Amino acid sequence: MNLFDFSGEREEMDRLCEEIEAHNRRYYLEDAPIISDREFDALLQRLQELESLHPEWKRSDSPTQRVGGGLTERFQTVAHSRPMLSLDNTYDAEELAAFFVRLEKALGSIPPVVCEPKIDGVAIALHYTKGILTQAITRGNGTEGDDVTQNVKTIHRIPLRLHGPNIPDELEVRGEIFMPKSAFHRLNDALKTQLQDKGLAEAEIQDQLYKNPRNTASGSLKLQDSSEVARRGLDAFIYYWASEMGRGQSHHQNLKQLAEWNFPIPPMVTKCGQLESVLQHASLIEGQRPDLPFDIDGMVLKVDDLSLQQELGFTAKSPRWAIAYKFEAEQAYTRLLSIEIQVGRTGALTPVANLSPVQLAGTTVKRASIHNADFIRELDLRPGDWVRVEKGGDIIPKITDNDTTQRPTSSRPYHFPDLCPECRSPWQQNPGEAIRYCSNHKGCPPQLLGKLTHFVGRKAMDIQALGEKTLALFMERLAVASPSDMYRLTASQILSLEGFQEKSVNNILDGLEQSKQVPFERVLFALGIRHVGETVAKTLARHFGSLEALSQASKEELLAVDEIGEVIADFIQLYFADTENRAEIEALEGVGLQFQMDPSAMIVQQGPLSGKQVVVSGTFTEWSRDEVTRLVESLGGKCVGSVSSKTDLVLAGEAMGPAKRAKAESLGIQILSEAEFKKNYLG
Ligand code: IVH
């Protein structure tokens, strides 16, 4: 046998491609997987291994592209084969009737039309050559768009290769890429947790969250890192066969053919003969709107017969053979009953509107968020006003307009309260920020509850027996006013509260006791210093080694730490300048919390990897990923997630991602295997 004969591996690669795509289809299209996720991952990993050994055999339709990994530095602008037009819009049945009159005038009779939901996403053109996806182009200006092929390949329901008879050599289809509501909420939930960990106020968090699935889909499609696109969970529907080769004369039939080749076709597509049935179908689609897993904003009508389409032709902007019947935005007018000021955990005072109940996209809305006091002034909102509420991409409904003509004559301008409604302290505003904060940071009940809840949280002191309800009770009944007060509670004090038995009391006391072993970096995070989130706390703890050293650090010393900027440095200094904070720290130290780093976890200032950025990838035989990270850090290096021109060294374990390796190679970065690393740095 020839030792260099890899043809078996090439066959294996082909086989794996087919097999994995078949499993993908079962999973994503038929919802009927026949292997476990683990087995699937093993197949994919094997294919990745073979592709990194034989990159020249990697197929452009390989399912490994679904997980992304490739980077696009700049998206190429490419011309569309035929313009990507938009659609004429109508908003009511009368305008729709006028469309039918126009059709009748032009054609002599009303032709059958196909009705489809209008997906609220981003238009895309997909090109297939001999059944293989070769290019995906955004709409751009309609004449040319961006080539986003790598990113689009991560969308599981878009076929990379077509299966079945009669596939034309050249095929262009068009459709809409969208972010399912569930993926959008998942993304926002994760971002919210991150921002909360950073200690941001609720109103600031609301400002930074993704606004709606459509914009998020559009932004995701333009991300440079395709593996991040893969994680975003985008999806697509195809609604138009644009090229001529092999295309039939009926749009409806064409969609059927596309479905047979595994293209995802929108649900609720139907052929109607007259206006009445079109309107019926529109009500059906609109009725389904709140329950659909993706956003739609109307229904599209298309003349079914392509020869009639040709006869009708185009205006400069849109086809004459199609029209969008737009549903009302998910908005409604209702009475503003009152404005209430809520106090968040950071002390942010957020106005909330109480509304006369109104139906909005299938749910009853009684409350809506109002951004901040400036917004009240801008719209001159007053109780009694007739306001417009909108559901922005399904998040919390918000007030978007005020119809002042409907205002009762007795109304007076709204006066934002001068004092915090919870503790009657005056509020303050940071320069340049619209949000107002209650100034009583230590004593205002919601702020204190927020602080205590943060302190016992999973990523902080992790005292699971203490939840928000219990903490609120401790504050109210046992005068707990700081974390150190909790450690001074006795069993009999807690037992005196209603609903507490010996077992739950023991759990609480055990939890408090165990928290005394929580390492310093998490104690530092638990203190809740503004802008000192989980990661910053870790960095500071490892750098300074103790709370004592951190509290005495000058601004310059703080700024010299990686990732610490002016704002964080200022907040740290402000925190330690406060006498009450210092007294609380002393009390917590007296209780026995860890205020020093375990020396083995400290960052080594001088070591063979000092000042070096290291990317760790793949799996290792001797160490877990956490152990490798600690090892690199103990040698003075810093572990970073992705390869860039700043990377100094890649530590490559087994099954390192092929894209990462290729990138490191192209940048000429040193790549060391586990054995080489041991020899060079530990030997
Ligand atoms: S047909 C020439 N069908 O709506 C064919 N468009 O406002 C034009 N859209 O640019 C497109 N769902 O991005 C068509 N079922 C559907 C659609 C749809 C959503 C989008 C598409 C179009 C925009 C026009």
PDB file of all heavy atoms in Angstrom, residues 83-89 116-124 139 174-176 239-240 266 297 300 302 314 319 321-322 324 326, ligand 1:
ATOM      1  N   PRO A  83     -32.269  43.649 -10.872  1.00  0.00           N
ATOM      2  CA  PRO A  83     -32.480  44.530  -9.721  1.00  0.00           C
ATOM      3  C   PRO A  83     -33.310  43.872  -8.626  1.00  0.00           C
ATOM      4  O   PRO A  83     -34.184  43.046  -8.913  1.00  0.00           O
ATOM      5  CB  PRO A  83     -33.244  45.718 -10.306  1.00  0.00           C
ATOM      6  CG  PRO A  83     -33.243  45.564 -11.768  1.00  0.00           C
ATOM      7  CD  PRO A  83     -32.764  44.210 -12.134  1.00  0.00           C
ATOM      8  N   MET A  84     -32.993  44.223  -7.386  1.00  0.00           N
ATOM      9  CA  MET A  84     -33.823  43.733  -6.275  1.00  0.00           C
ATOM     10  C   MET A  84     -34.779  44.864  -5.925  1.00  0.00           C
ATOM     11  O   MET A  84     -34.396  45.833  -5.278  1.00  0.00           O
ATOM     12  CB  MET A  84     -32.948  43.399  -5.065  1.00  0.00           C
ATOM     13  CG  MET A  84     -32.454  41.978  -5.107  1.00  0.00           C
ATOM     14  SD  MET A  84     -31.536  41.539  -3.639  1.00  0.00           S
ATOM     15  CE  MET A  84     -32.742  40.639  -2.698  1.00  0.00           C
ATOM     16  N   LEU A  85     -36.002  44.710  -6.395  1.00  0.00           N
ATOM     17  CA  LEU A  85     -36.958  45.806  -6.236  1.00  0.00           C
ATOM     18  C   LEU A  85     -37.685  45.708  -4.906  1.00  0.00           C
ATOM     19  O   LEU A  85     -37.640  44.689  -4.230  1.00  0.00           O
ATOM     20  CB  LEU A  85     -37.976  45.756  -7.371  1.00  0.00           C
ATOM     21  CG  LEU A  85     -37.368  45.935  -8.758  1.00  0.00           C
ATOM     22  CD1 LEU A  85     -38.416  45.698  -9.815  1.00  0.00           C
ATOM     23  CD2 LEU A  85     -36.752  47.319  -8.903  1.00  0.00           C
ATOM     24  N   SER A  86     -38.356  46.813  -4.589  1.00  0.00           N
ATOM     25  CA  SER A  86     -39.171  46.720  -3.371  1.00  0.00           C
ATOM     26  C   SER A  86     -40.630  46.567  -3.808  1.00  0.00           C
ATOM     27  O   SER A  86     -40.904  46.389  -4.991  1.00  0.00           O
ATOM     28  CB  SER A  86     -38.911  47.936  -2.490  1.00  0.00           C
ATOM     29  OG  SER A  86     -39.878  48.891  -2.709  1.00  0.00           O
ATOM     30  N   LEU A  87     -41.544  46.603  -2.872  1.00  0.00           N
ATOM     31  CA  LEU A  87     -42.949  46.376  -3.207  1.00  0.00           C
ATOM     32  C   LEU A  87     -43.760  47.624  -2.907  1.00  0.00           C
ATOM     33  O   LEU A  87     -43.457  48.360  -1.975  1.00  0.00           O
ATOM     34  CB  LEU A  87     -43.517  45.231  -2.365  1.00  0.00           C
ATOM     35  CG  LEU A  87     -43.014  43.822  -2.636  1.00  0.00           C
ATOM     36  CD1 LEU A  87     -43.542  42.863  -1.593  1.00  0.00           C
ATOM     37  CD2 LEU A  87     -43.446  43.376  -4.030  1.00  0.00           C
ATOM     38  N   ASP A  88     -44.794  47.817  -3.698  1.00  0.00           N
ATOM     39  CA  ASP A  88     -45.745  48.880  -3.420  1.00  0.00           C
ATOM     40  C   ASP A  88     -46.529  48.473  -2.162  1.00  0.00           C
ATOM     41  O   ASP A  88     -46.807  47.302  -1.974  1.00  0.00           O
ATOM     42  CB  ASP A  88     -46.702  48.935  -4.628  1.00  0.00           C
ATOM     43  CG  ASP A  88     -47.119  50.342  -4.910  1.00  0.00           C
ATOM     44  OD1 ASP A  88     -46.614  51.233  -4.211  1.00  0.00           O
ATOM     45  OD2 ASP A  88     -47.953  50.541  -5.818  1.00  0.00           O
ATOM     46  N   ASN A  89     -46.880  49.457  -1.340  1.00  0.00           N
ATOM     47  CA  ASN A  89     -47.596  49.136  -0.092  1.00  0.00           C
ATOM     48  C   ASN A  89     -49.058  49.579  -0.120  1.00  0.00           C
ATOM     49  O   ASN A  89     -49.354  50.635  -0.664  1.00  0.00           O
ATOM     50  CB  ASN A  89     -46.976  49.908   1.078  1.00  0.00           C
ATOM     51  CG  ASN A  89     -45.641  49.324   1.442  1.00  0.00           C
ATOM     52  OD1 ASN A  89     -45.400  48.141   1.245  1.00  0.00           O
ATOM     53  ND2 ASN A  89     -44.763  50.167   1.982  1.00  0.00           N
ATOM     54  N   GLU A 116     -48.977  35.492   0.490  1.00  0.00           N
ATOM     55  CA  GLU A 116     -47.919  34.962   1.374  1.00  0.00           C
ATOM     56  C   GLU A 116     -47.722  35.923   2.538  1.00  0.00           C
ATOM     57  O   GLU A 116     -47.930  37.123   2.373  1.00  0.00           O
ATOM     58  CB  GLU A 116     -46.574  34.922   0.614  1.00  0.00           C
ATOM     59  CG  GLU A 116     -46.632  34.224  -0.697  1.00  0.00           C
ATOM     60  CD  GLU A 116     -45.403  34.522  -1.570  1.00  0.00           C
ATOM     61  OE1 GLU A 116     -44.472  35.217  -1.108  1.00  0.00           O
ATOM     62  OE2 GLU A 116     -45.402  34.046  -2.706  1.00  0.00           O
ATOM     63  N   PRO A 117     -47.276  35.444   3.676  1.00  0.00           N
ATOM     64  CA  PRO A 117     -46.954  36.392   4.745  1.00  0.00           C
ATOM     65  C   PRO A 117     -45.768  37.260   4.341  1.00  0.00           C
ATOM     66  O   PRO A 117     -44.899  36.813   3.586  1.00  0.00           O
ATOM     67  CB  PRO A 117     -46.581  35.497   5.932  1.00  0.00           C
ATOM     68  CG  PRO A 117     -46.309  34.166   5.359  1.00  0.00           C
ATOM     69  CD  PRO A 117     -47.030  34.048   4.057  1.00  0.00           C
ATOM     70  N   LYS A 118     -45.779  38.490   4.787  1.00  0.00           N
ATOM     71  CA  LYS A 118     -44.642  39.378   4.503  1.00  0.00           C
ATOM     72  C   LYS A 118     -43.708  39.303   5.706  1.00  0.00           C
ATOM     73  O   LYS A 118     -44.022  39.782   6.791  1.00  0.00           O
ATOM     74  CB  LYS A 118     -45.136  40.805   4.274  1.00  0.00           C
ATOM     75  CG  LYS A 118     -44.029  41.743   3.850  1.00  0.00           C
ATOM     76  CD  LYS A 118     -44.617  43.086   3.431  1.00  0.00           C
ATOM     77  CE  LYS A 118     -43.574  44.044   2.906  1.00  0.00           C
ATOM     78  NZ  LYS A 118     -42.428  44.244   3.759  1.00  0.00           N
ATOM     79  N   ILE A 119     -42.575  38.657   5.500  1.00  0.00           N
ATOM     80  CA  ILE A 119     -41.639  38.398   6.592  1.00  0.00           C
ATOM     81  C   ILE A 119     -40.865  39.676   6.901  1.00  0.00           C
ATOM     82  O   ILE A 119     -40.366  40.335   5.985  1.00  0.00           O
ATOM     83  CB  ILE A 119     -40.624  37.290   6.185  1.00  0.00           C
ATOM     84  CG1 ILE A 119     -41.309  36.145   5.421  1.00  0.00           C
ATOM     85  CG2 ILE A 119     -39.849  36.782   7.379  1.00  0.00           C
ATOM     86  CD1 ILE A 119     -42.314  35.360   6.168  1.00  0.00           C
ATOM     87  N   ASP A 120     -40.745  39.988   8.187  1.00  0.00           N
ATOM     88  CA  ASP A 120     -40.067  41.224   8.570  1.00  0.00           C
ATOM     89  C   ASP A 120     -38.588  40.924   8.842  1.00  0.00           C
ATOM     90  O   ASP A 120     -38.180  40.662   9.969  1.00  0.00           O
ATOM     91  CB  ASP A 120     -40.741  41.787   9.823  1.00  0.00           C
ATOM     92  CG  ASP A 120     -40.449  43.261   9.986  1.00  0.00           C
ATOM     93  OD1 ASP A 120     -39.837  43.844   9.082  1.00  0.00           O
ATOM     94  OD2 ASP A 120     -40.829  43.823  11.029  1.00  0.00           O
ATOM     95  N   GLY A 121     -37.816  40.930   7.779  1.00  0.00           N
ATOM     96  CA  GLY A 121     -36.391  40.609   7.930  1.00  0.00           C
ATOM     97  C   GLY A 121     -35.561  41.394   6.935  1.00  0.00           C
ATOM     98  O   GLY A 121     -35.839  42.558   6.676  1.00  0.00           O
ATOM     99  N   VAL A 122     -34.542  40.728   6.386  1.00  0.00           N
ATOM    100  CA  VAL A 122     -33.646  41.381   5.441  1.00  0.00           C
ATOM    101  C   VAL A 122     -33.638  40.568   4.152  1.00  0.00           C
ATOM    102  O   VAL A 122     -33.475  39.347   4.195  1.00  0.00           O
ATOM    103  CB  VAL A 122     -32.188  41.352   5.968  1.00  0.00           C
ATOM    104  CG1 VAL A 122     -31.380  42.468   5.388  1.00  0.00           C
ATOM    105  CG2 VAL A 122     -32.130  41.324   7.466  1.00  0.00           C
ATOM    106  N   ALA A 123     -33.800  41.255   3.017  1.00  0.00           N
ATOM    107  CA  ALA A 123     -33.865  40.529   1.743  1.00  0.00           C
ATOM    108  C   ALA A 123     -32.491  39.968   1.370  1.00  0.00           C
ATOM    109  O   ALA A 123     -31.457  40.567   1.662  1.00  0.00           O
ATOM    110  CB  ALA A 123     -34.348  41.473   0.653  1.00  0.00           C
ATOM    111  N   ILE A 124     -32.524  38.817   0.707  1.00  0.00           N
ATOM    112  CA  ILE A 124     -31.261  38.178   0.309  1.00  0.00           C
ATOM    113  C   ILE A 124     -31.425  37.524  -1.070  1.00  0.00           C
ATOM    114  O   ILE A 124     -32.513  37.050  -1.389  1.00  0.00           O
ATOM    115  CB  ILE A 124     -30.828  37.115   1.364  1.00  0.00           C
ATOM    116  CG1 ILE A 124     -29.388  36.671   1.164  1.00  0.00           C
ATOM    117  CG2 ILE A 124     -31.756  35.896   1.363  1.00  0.00           C
ATOM    118  CD1 ILE A 124     -28.383  37.562   1.793  1.00  0.00           C
ATOM    119  N   ARG A 139     -29.520  42.989  -0.248  1.00  0.00           N
ATOM    120  CA  ARG A 139     -30.188  43.835  -1.214  1.00  0.00           C
ATOM    121  C   ARG A 139     -29.375  45.097  -1.545  1.00  0.00           C
ATOM    122  O   ARG A 139     -29.333  45.528  -2.686  1.00  0.00           O
ATOM    123  CB  ARG A 139     -31.535  44.221  -0.629  1.00  0.00           C
ATOM    124  CG  ARG A 139     -32.321  45.166  -1.449  1.00  0.00           C
ATOM    125  CD  ARG A 139     -33.036  46.050  -0.458  1.00  0.00           C
ATOM    126  NE  ARG A 139     -34.086  46.805  -1.033  1.00  0.00           N
ATOM    127  CZ  ARG A 139     -35.260  46.325  -1.331  1.00  0.00           C
ATOM    128  NH1 ARG A 139     -35.512  45.049  -1.173  1.00  0.00           N
ATOM    129  NH2 ARG A 139     -36.174  47.105  -1.794  1.00  0.00           N
ATOM    130  N   ARG A 174     -34.715  34.267  -4.206  1.00  0.00           N
ATOM    131  CA  ARG A 174     -34.687  35.397  -3.277  1.00  0.00           C
ATOM    132  C   ARG A 174     -35.596  35.134  -2.092  1.00  0.00           C
ATOM    133  O   ARG A 174     -36.588  34.412  -2.202  1.00  0.00           O
ATOM    134  CB  ARG A 174     -35.105  36.673  -3.998  1.00  0.00           C
ATOM    135  CG  ARG A 174     -34.013  37.040  -4.982  1.00  0.00           C
ATOM    136  CD  ARG A 174     -34.264  38.305  -5.693  1.00  0.00           C
ATOM    137  NE  ARG A 174     -33.107  38.599  -6.541  1.00  0.00           N
ATOM    138  CZ  ARG A 174     -33.065  39.584  -7.393  1.00  0.00           C
ATOM    139  NH1 ARG A 174     -34.088  40.394  -7.525  1.00  0.00           N
ATOM    140  NH2 ARG A 174     -31.981  39.787  -8.109  1.00  0.00           N
ATOM    141  N   GLY A 175     -35.212  35.705  -0.994  1.00  0.00           N
ATOM    142  CA  GLY A 175     -35.998  35.459   0.208  1.00  0.00           C
ATOM    143  C   GLY A 175     -35.624  36.436   1.296  1.00  0.00           C
ATOM    144  O   GLY A 175     -35.020  37.484   1.041  1.00  0.00           O
ATOM    145  N   GLU A 176     -35.987  36.075   2.497  1.00  0.00           N
ATOM    146  CA  GLU A 176     -35.822  36.980   3.621  1.00  0.00           C
ATOM    147  C   GLU A 176     -35.077  36.245   4.738  1.00  0.00           C
ATOM    148  O   GLU A 176     -35.445  35.126   5.100  1.00  0.00           O
ATOM    149  CB  GLU A 176     -37.222  37.383   4.113  1.00  0.00           C
ATOM    150  CG  GLU A 176     -37.270  38.635   4.897  1.00  0.00           C
ATOM    151  CD  GLU A 176     -37.373  39.900   4.022  1.00  0.00           C
ATOM    152  OE1 GLU A 176     -37.218  39.807   2.787  1.00  0.00           O
ATOM    153  OE2 GLU A 176     -37.593  40.963   4.608  1.00  0.00           O
ATOM    154  N   TYR A 239     -38.970  33.134  -1.108  1.00  0.00           N
ATOM    155  CA  TYR A 239     -40.310  33.416  -1.646  1.00  0.00           C
ATOM    156  C   TYR A 239     -40.322  33.752  -3.138  1.00  0.00           C
ATOM    157  O   TYR A 239     -41.334  34.172  -3.660  1.00  0.00           O
ATOM    158  CB  TYR A 239     -40.990  34.538  -0.868  1.00  0.00           C
ATOM    159  CG  TYR A 239     -40.114  35.751  -0.602  1.00  0.00           C
ATOM    160  CD1 TYR A 239     -39.627  36.519  -1.652  1.00  0.00           C
ATOM    161  CD2 TYR A 239     -39.783  36.100   0.700  1.00  0.00           C
ATOM    162  CE1 TYR A 239     -38.834  37.620  -1.412  1.00  0.00           C
ATOM    163  CE2 TYR A 239     -38.988  37.206   0.952  1.00  0.00           C
ATOM    164  CZ  TYR A 239     -38.505  37.960  -0.109  1.00  0.00           C
ATOM    165  OH  TYR A 239     -37.724  39.046   0.122  1.00  0.00           O
ATOM    166  N   TYR A 240     -39.191  33.563  -3.808  1.00  0.00           N
ATOM    167  CA  TYR A 240     -39.179  33.976  -5.219  1.00  0.00           C
ATOM    168  C   TYR A 240     -38.072  33.261  -5.983  1.00  0.00           C
ATOM    169  O   TYR A 240     -36.941  33.189  -5.518  1.00  0.00           O
ATOM    170  CB  TYR A 240     -38.966  35.498  -5.259  1.00  0.00           C
ATOM    171  CG  TYR A 240     -39.041  36.124  -6.634  1.00  0.00           C
ATOM    172  CD1 TYR A 240     -40.170  35.941  -7.439  1.00  0.00           C
ATOM    173  CD2 TYR A 240     -37.998  36.908  -7.124  1.00  0.00           C
ATOM    174  CE1 TYR A 240     -40.237  36.525  -8.689  1.00  0.00           C
ATOM    175  CE2 TYR A 240     -38.060  37.503  -8.374  1.00  0.00           C
ATOM    176  CZ  TYR A 240     -39.184  37.300  -9.153  1.00  0.00           C
ATOM    177  OH  TYR A 240     -39.251  37.879 -10.386  1.00  0.00           O
ATOM    178  N   PRO A 266     -42.223  30.006   3.052  1.00  0.00           N
ATOM    179  CA  PRO A 266     -43.038  30.501   4.166  1.00  0.00           C
ATOM    180  C   PRO A 266     -44.305  29.669   4.358  1.00  0.00           C
ATOM    181  O   PRO A 266     -44.820  29.092   3.388  1.00  0.00           O
ATOM    182  CB  PRO A 266     -43.420  31.924   3.735  1.00  0.00           C
ATOM    183  CG  PRO A 266     -42.653  32.233   2.515  1.00  0.00           C
ATOM    184  CD  PRO A 266     -42.065  30.987   1.980  1.00  0.00           C
ATOM    185  N   ASP A 297     -44.995  41.634   8.889  1.00  0.00           N
ATOM    186  CA  ASP A 297     -45.609  42.958   8.956  1.00  0.00           C
ATOM    187  C   ASP A 297     -46.680  43.141   7.902  1.00  0.00           C
ATOM    188  O   ASP A 297     -47.086  44.257   7.605  1.00  0.00           O
ATOM    189  CB  ASP A 297     -44.558  44.074   8.889  1.00  0.00           C
ATOM    190  CG  ASP A 297     -43.706  44.014   7.635  1.00  0.00           C
ATOM    191  OD1 ASP A 297     -43.722  42.970   6.956  1.00  0.00           O
ATOM    192  OD2 ASP A 297     -43.030  45.005   7.325  1.00  0.00           O
ATOM    193  N   VAL A 300     -48.116  39.531   1.293  1.00  0.00           N
ATOM    194  CA  VAL A 300     -47.721  39.926  -0.062  1.00  0.00           C
ATOM    195  C   VAL A 300     -48.624  39.201  -1.053  1.00  0.00           C
ATOM    196  O   VAL A 300     -48.903  38.009  -0.903  1.00  0.00           O
ATOM    197  CB  VAL A 300     -46.242  39.567  -0.332  1.00  0.00           C
ATOM    198  CG1 VAL A 300     -45.841  39.983  -1.750  1.00  0.00           C
ATOM    199  CG2 VAL A 300     -45.336  40.241   0.682  1.00  0.00           C
ATOM    200  N   LYS A 302     -49.079  38.197  -5.097  1.00  0.00           N
ATOM    201  CA  LYS A 302     -48.339  38.152  -6.367  1.00  0.00           C
ATOM    202  C   LYS A 302     -49.218  37.501  -7.423  1.00  0.00           C
ATOM    203  O   LYS A 302     -49.823  36.451  -7.144  1.00  0.00           O
ATOM    204  CB  LYS A 302     -47.066  37.307  -6.209  1.00  0.00           C
ATOM    205  CG  LYS A 302     -46.084  37.883  -5.222  1.00  0.00           C
ATOM    206  CD  LYS A 302     -44.947  36.907  -4.942  1.00  0.00           C
ATOM    207  CE  LYS A 302     -44.089  37.457  -3.814  1.00  0.00           C
ATOM    208  NZ  LYS A 302     -43.189  36.445  -3.259  1.00  0.00           N
ATOM    209  N   PHE A 314     -42.916  46.365 -14.724  1.00  0.00           N
ATOM    210  CA  PHE A 314     -42.448  47.033 -13.507  1.00  0.00           C
ATOM    211  C   PHE A 314     -42.607  48.537 -13.603  1.00  0.00           C
ATOM    212  O   PHE A 314     -42.557  49.090 -14.685  1.00  0.00           O
ATOM    213  CB  PHE A 314     -40.945  46.752 -13.317  1.00  0.00           C
ATOM    214  CG  PHE A 314     -40.626  45.308 -13.145  1.00  0.00           C
ATOM    215  CD1 PHE A 314     -40.465  44.476 -14.254  1.00  0.00           C
ATOM    216  CD2 PHE A 314     -40.482  44.772 -11.877  1.00  0.00           C
ATOM    217  CE1 PHE A 314     -40.161  43.126 -14.091  1.00  0.00           C
ATOM    218  CE2 PHE A 314     -40.173  43.434 -11.716  1.00  0.00           C
ATOM    219  CZ  PHE A 314     -40.015  42.613 -12.820  1.00  0.00           C
ATOM    220  N   PRO A 319     -42.541  45.857  -8.861  1.00  0.00           N
ATOM    221  CA  PRO A 319     -43.307  45.152  -9.895  1.00  0.00           C
ATOM    222  C   PRO A 319     -44.784  45.577  -9.853  1.00  0.00           C
ATOM    223  O   PRO A 319     -45.309  45.819  -8.777  1.00  0.00           O
ATOM    224  CB  PRO A 319     -43.158  43.675  -9.501  1.00  0.00           C
ATOM    225  CG  PRO A 319     -42.718  43.664  -8.092  1.00  0.00           C
ATOM    226  CD  PRO A 319     -42.093  44.982  -7.784  1.00  0.00           C
ATOM    227  N   TRP A 321     -47.055  43.565 -10.701  1.00  0.00           N
ATOM    228  CA  TRP A 321     -47.797  42.321 -10.501  1.00  0.00           C
ATOM    229  C   TRP A 321     -47.820  41.882  -9.034  1.00  0.00           C
ATOM    230  O   TRP A 321     -48.276  40.789  -8.707  1.00  0.00           O
ATOM    231  CB  TRP A 321     -47.223  41.204 -11.372  1.00  0.00           C
ATOM    232  CG  TRP A 321     -45.706  41.131 -11.378  1.00  0.00           C
ATOM    233  CD1 TRP A 321     -44.876  41.690 -12.292  1.00  0.00           C
ATOM    234  CD2 TRP A 321     -44.867  40.473 -10.424  1.00  0.00           C
ATOM    235  NE1 TRP A 321     -43.569  41.440 -11.981  1.00  0.00           N
ATOM    236  CE2 TRP A 321     -43.523  40.681 -10.841  1.00  0.00           C
ATOM    237  CE3 TRP A 321     -45.096  39.713  -9.283  1.00  0.00           C
ATOM    238  CZ2 TRP A 321     -42.435  40.168 -10.145  1.00  0.00           C
ATOM    239  CZ3 TRP A 321     -44.011  39.210  -8.593  1.00  0.00           C
ATOM    240  CH2 TRP A 321     -42.702  39.446  -9.020  1.00  0.00           C
ATOM    241  N   ALA A 322     -47.275  42.718  -8.165  1.00  0.00           N
ATOM    242  CA  ALA A 322     -47.260  42.336  -6.744  1.00  0.00           C
ATOM    243  C   ALA A 322     -47.550  43.554  -5.887  1.00  0.00           C
ATOM    244  O   ALA A 322     -47.362  44.696  -6.309  1.00  0.00           O
ATOM    245  CB  ALA A 322     -45.901  41.752  -6.371  1.00  0.00           C
ATOM    246  N   ALA A 324     -47.754  44.765  -1.412  1.00  0.00           N
ATOM    247  CA  ALA A 324     -47.727  44.363   0.007  1.00  0.00           C
ATOM    248  C   ALA A 324     -48.940  44.963   0.696  1.00  0.00           C
ATOM    249  O   ALA A 324     -49.190  46.162   0.576  1.00  0.00           O
ATOM    250  CB  ALA A 324     -46.453  44.878   0.663  1.00  0.00           C
ATOM    251  N   LYS A 326     -50.024  45.823   4.044  1.00  0.00           N
ATOM    252  CA  LYS A 326     -49.346  45.906   5.348  1.00  0.00           C
ATOM    253  C   LYS A 326     -50.353  45.883   6.489  1.00  0.00           C
ATOM    254  O   LYS A 326     -51.384  46.552   6.419  1.00  0.00           O
ATOM    255  CB  LYS A 326     -48.537  47.198   5.431  1.00  0.00           C
ATOM    256  CG  LYS A 326     -47.431  47.290   4.390  1.00  0.00           C
ATOM    257  CD  LYS A 326     -46.107  46.830   4.920  1.00  0.00           C
ATOM    258  CE  LYS A 326     -45.503  47.878   5.790  1.00  0.00           C
ATOM    259  NZ  LYS A 326     -44.095  48.063   5.629  1.00  0.00           N
TER     260      LYS A 326
HETATM  261  S1  IVH B   1     -41.591  39.521  -3.029  1.00  0.00           S
HETATM  262  C1  IVH B   1     -40.083  41.161  -6.887  1.00  0.00           C
HETATM  263  N1  IVH B   1     -42.481  38.202  -0.940  1.00  0.00           N
HETATM  264  O1  IVH B   1     -40.574  42.911   1.627  1.00  0.00           O
HETATM  265  C2  IVH B   1     -40.315  40.408  -5.642  1.00  0.00           C
HETATM  266  N2  IVH B   1     -41.116  40.112  -0.550  1.00  0.00           N
HETATM  267  O2  IVH B   1     -41.247  45.726   1.199  1.00  0.00           O
HETATM  268  C3  IVH B   1     -40.167  41.259  -4.453  1.00  0.00           C
HETATM  269  N3  IVH B   1     -40.645  40.551   1.818  1.00  0.00           N
HETATM  270  O3  IVH B   1     -37.970  43.642  -0.590  1.00  0.00           O
HETATM  271  C4  IVH B   1     -40.248  40.616  -3.171  1.00  0.00           C
HETATM  272  N4  IVH B   1     -41.779  38.853   2.632  1.00  0.00           N
HETATM  273  O4  IVH B   1     -37.503  42.009   1.387  1.00  0.00           O
HETATM  274  C5  IVH B   1     -41.738  39.241  -1.358  1.00  0.00           C
HETATM  275  N5  IVH B   1     -43.323  36.910   0.816  1.00  0.00           N
HETATM  276  C6  IVH B   1     -42.578  37.951   0.395  1.00  0.00           C
HETATM  277  C7  IVH B   1     -41.912  38.824   1.277  1.00  0.00           C
HETATM  278  C8  IVH B   1     -41.184  39.895   0.765  1.00  0.00           C
HETATM  279  C9  IVH B   1     -41.009  39.899   2.922  1.00  0.00           C
HETATM  280  C10 IVH B   1     -39.797  41.776   1.817  1.00  0.00           C
HETATM  281  C11 IVH B   1     -38.745  41.802   0.736  1.00  0.00           C
HETATM  282  C12 IVH B   1     -39.095  43.009  -0.079  1.00  0.00           C
HETATM  283  C13 IVH B   1     -39.813  43.857   0.919  1.00  0.00           C
HETATM  284  C14 IVH B   1     -40.686  44.895   0.250  1.00  0.00           C
END
